[in-house]
Amino acid sequence: MKLGYKASAEQFGPRELLEFSCLAETVGFDSVFVSDHFQPWKHTGGHAPYSFAWLGALGAKTNQVQIGTSVATPTFRYHPSVVAQAVGTLGAMFPDRVIFGVGTGESLNDVPATGIKWPGFRERQGRLREAILLMRRLWTEERVTFDGQYYRTRGATIYDRPATPVPIWIAASGPTAAAMAGELAEGFICTSGKGDTLYRDTLLPKVEEGLQRAGRPGNSIERMIEMNVEDPLEMEKLAAALPLERAASRWIVSADPEEQLAQIRPYFELGFTHLVFHAPGPDQSRFLRLYAEQVLPLLRAKLG
């Protein structure tokens, strides 16, 4: 089991976020994942640092923590070949530490940046599938000429890339994308707080279905979930516009480590092996130190 930290790029500027993420490694987190947004969830006080540049700084400032996106969209405002170059550079600089988490995207990020008309899920999924195929070819082949439905290259070569291609993890909140993760990816990403039946009856079975369709063993994919956690006072402050009970239904709200364990355990028992913790409070240093001191050792001792 791996325990990670979600660097909240929508909430903090790049320098401050880098300090928090370096602290995460120091206090014992296994990974740091960052989102790749062109625009944050809110305008006032929001942030949206460029993830690939920021990950380069994080890799250089840390020694062993895994680093990656959760998630980026290599389909609209980025051409997959340019993304392959960026991620290949990161992988060459920090071998065996980089994970490229991808998703089908959100109009919030791509429409303002490009002015496109936001397409339906079928096209977004098709673009992601094709982008993954192209990026993997660019990481393993020379002089790649590619003629896809959405993307093309002519004699393209990525000159700086790791000996082993960077693993691609696919984020999914529905059955079709979950099956694609099982079929194509080295990892599956989802978020907590949506009810056990979604994970048990839909998402994880669809991942297995994709694995079987591709003839892959069940242990060939890592299952990651972003755990939304915080203590009651901070949650109440941030959710002032909503009833606390509604906010608490999607987040683990507790100041008691044993209660945190009790609410996290069901996800572990479902089969998730990489838990990434996202706390929305302003005092990230306090969260990281308290969680490392009181919760992470408990999780490792009780869940392995």
Side-chain angles (χ1 to χ4, degrees):
M1 182 177 64
K2 293 181 180 178
L3 305 173
Y5 169 61
K6 180 63 182 285
S8 187
E10 302 83 10
Q11 191 175 1
F12 301 100
R15 287 179 177 271
E16 194 175 14
L17 198 65
L18 184 61
E19 292 177 3
F20 298 147
S21 300
C22 291
L23 176 60
E25 180 184 61
T26 299
V27 299
F29 284 81
D30 300 313
S31 63
V32 175
F33 283 86
V34 67
S35 59
D36 179 63
H37 281 198
F38 184 77
Q39 295 193 151
W41 298 112
K42 63 174 185 176
H43 177 70
T44 304
H47 296 275
Y50 181 48
S51 67
F52 297 132
W54 186 85
L55 284 168
L58 178 63
K61 294 275 286 184
T62 53
N63 296 308
Q64 63 185 22
V65 68
Q66 283 189 310
I67 62 175
T69 53
S70 181
V71 293
T73 305
T75 50
F76 293 104
R77 69 188 189 279
Y78 306 132
H79 191 284
S81 61
V82 176
V83 176
Q85 181 189 25
V87 176
T89 298
L90 291 170
M93 294 176 68
F94 316 115
D96 302 319
R97 291 180 56 195
V98 179
I99 294 166
F100 187 39
V102 300
T104 56
E106 297 165 316
S107 61
L108 171 76
N109 294 311
D110 291 299
V111 171
T114 64
I116 62 170
K117 182 179 179 181
W118 190 238
F121 177 73
R122 182 183 295 274
E123 178 180 336
R124 301 201 310 272
Q125 184 189 35
R127 284 179 175 271
L128 182 59
R129 179 181 290 271
E130 191 170 293
I132 290 171
L133 174 62
L134 174 54
M135 289 187 295
R136 283 185 170 149
R137 285 191 58 185
L138 288 165
W139 289 335
T140 57
E141 301 177 19
E142 305 286 335
R143 308 290 295 170
V144 175
T145 294
F146 186 90
D147 286 293
Q149 181 178 356
Y150 302 105
Y151 308 108
R152 293 169 180 82
T153 62
R154 288 291 177 270
T157 300
I158 302 298
Y159 288 90
D160 297 288
R161 59 195 187 201
T164 302
V166 172
I168 294 176
W169 294 10
I170 293 177
S173 58
T176 306
M180 185 168 69
E183 180 185 352
L184 298 179
E186 287 82 26
F188 163 63
I189 301 173
C190 64
T191 56
S192 67
K194 298 178 180 179
D196 287 358
T197 56
L198 175 65
Y199 311 106
R200 184 181 60 248
D201 299 340
T202 302
L203 296 183
L204 291 172
K206 282 295 181 179
V207 171
E208 294 295 332
E209 180 182 305
L211 287 165
Q212 293 174 14
R213 187 163 62 227
R216 306 172 64 199
N219 62 359
S220 62
I221 188 170
E222 190 157 355
R223 295 157 178 83
M224 175 184 133
I225 188 166
E226 291 187 6
M227 306 296 301
N228 300 319
V229 298
E230 190 48 280
D231 65 77
L233 292 179
E234 293 297 341
M235 179 58 69
E236 185 173 12
K237 176 182 176 181
L238 292 169
L242 296 172
L244 183 59
E245 293 78 9
R246 182 176 174 187
S249 70
R250 290 290 302 273
W251 295 71
I252 296 175
V253 183
S254 174
D256 180 358
E258 290 288 346
E259 188 175 351
Q260 293 265 341
L261 170 64
Q263 295 194 53
I264 292 167
R265 183 188 293 275
Y267 294 103
F268 176 78
E269 292 174 345
L270 282 168
F272 291 101
T273 55
H274 198 138
L275 312 179
V276 175
F277 296 96
H278 177 202
D283 195 343
Q284 293 287 288
S285 296
R286 173 179 175 271
F287 161 74
L288 286 164
R289 295 184 190 280
L290 280 175
Y291 226 71
E293 176 186 342
Q294 298 183 21
V295 181
L296 298 192
L298 188 63
L299 294 175
R300 290 190 170 109
K302 296 295 180 69
L303 303 182

